[in-house]
Amino acid sequence: MGMVIITTAIMNIIQTKPNDLIPRWWIAAVIFLISALGVVPFAARITTLGDETLRDKILKGEELSEEQLADFVKGRESIVTSFPTSVFYNDLAKVALDRSRTQPEKMATYLEKAAHWQRQALMISPSDPYAWLNLASIYNSVQGGQEIAAKAWLQSYITAPYEPRLLLTRLKMARQLEAEIGEAAPALIMQLIRQQWEYNPWHLTRAARDDGFLKLAKEALKEDKAALKRFDKILKEQL
């Protein structure tokens, strides 16, 4: 649709502007380039249509056979050589990270692959907070990788500090990486707790109970007596 609109606009220019001002051959060349460049993402989309069902299952955390995963990875790896996009690289990083957890004997190999693909995605989309948090998760799983993980975590926070869908994941990882994040960590953790409370108090209460930071959550909410009272109420309801 975008290409159609742009092409139509250019054709209108051809009809209204004098040839000596904007030569027709120049306009024709621009239209050709726009059309050619537009083929790349379109072709990539068509090429991956057969993988979309598998991709949906992977993103939902459904269990796939090793053969299915191998076929998916093979397809994505062949595509990124011609159509490198952050989405395809993110897919490869996701599968590699999942494999590192289900195949502990190959954990180091898959974590290395996951980090490689995630960095490739970030080279294309350096302001993607999800990709930075994924990179933090990868390095947090690598022995001795916590310092790098903390830097990636902070980068994710900087790029989108109020992204609600990342709050709980950030909170959990911040508590794990508190020492590596540094002196700003306690204040950031408290802020994340309050943000999650505003976004979804039920999810925060459940996470505080299951992950063992009830005392910390109450400390973060202590200035708001109504919130603290509601926190205790939700906690009782969830027991």
Side-chain angles (χ1 to χ4, degrees), residues 36-93:
L37 291 173
V39 167
V40 175
F42 177 75
R45 181 66 178 170
I46 292 298
T47 305
T48 58
L49 283 178
D51 293 336
E52 290 306 299
T53 300
L54 284 179
R55 184 175 187 269
D56 288 342
K57 290 182 178 180
I58 291 169
L59 294 178
K60 291 176 183 177
E62 296 182 19
E63 188 173 346
L64 298 177
S65 69
E66 183 58 29
E67 183 179 359
Q68 287 176 309
L69 288 173
D71 287 343
F72 181 81
V73 169
K74 184 178 179 180
R76 282 295 191 262
E77 287 180 340
S78 65
I79 292 167
V80 295
T81 57
S82 302
F83 309 120
T85 73
S86 58
V87 173
F88 297 155
Y89 285 130
N90 283 332
D91 288 345
L92 287 166

Side-chain angles (χ1 to χ4, degrees), residues 117-224:
W117 293 126
Q118 199 63 74
R119 288 195 299 268
Q120 292 295 110
L122 283 164
M123 288 180 68
I124 297 173
S125 300
S127 60
D128 182 351
Y130 291 86
W132 280 112
L133 197 59
N134 288 340
L135 188 65
S137 179
I138 292 166
Y139 276 108
N140 195 32
S141 301
V142 175
Q143 186 174 2
Q146 284 62 46
E147 186 175 344
I148 299 176
K151 291 179 180 178
W153 185 96
L154 284 167
Q155 194 62 42
S156 173
Y157 185 83
I158 290 169
T159 52
Y162 303 109
E163 173 53 65
R165 290 167 294 183
L166 294 179
L167 288 172
L168 277 181
T169 305
R170 279 179 177 162
L171 176 57
K172 181 176 181 179
M173 204 175 301
R175 294 180 62 243
Q176 295 171 349
L177 298 170
E178 185 170 355
E180 287 79 12
I181 292 173
E183 60 183 18
L188 286 171
I189 289 171
M190 290 298 194
Q191 183 174 333
L192 287 167
I193 290 173
R194 287 189 284 267
Q195 287 177 339
Q196 179 60 41
W197 173 258
E198 292 178 7
Y199 177 62
N200 192 316
W202 294 274
H203 286 177
L204 173 68
T205 306
R206 182 177 291 108
R209 182 196 65 193
D210 294 346
D211 295 342
F213 63 96
L214 284 170
K215 185 177 179 181
L216 192 63
K218 290 186 176 184
E219 177 69 19
L221 300 173
K222 70 178 182 180
E223 299 300 326
D224 188 339

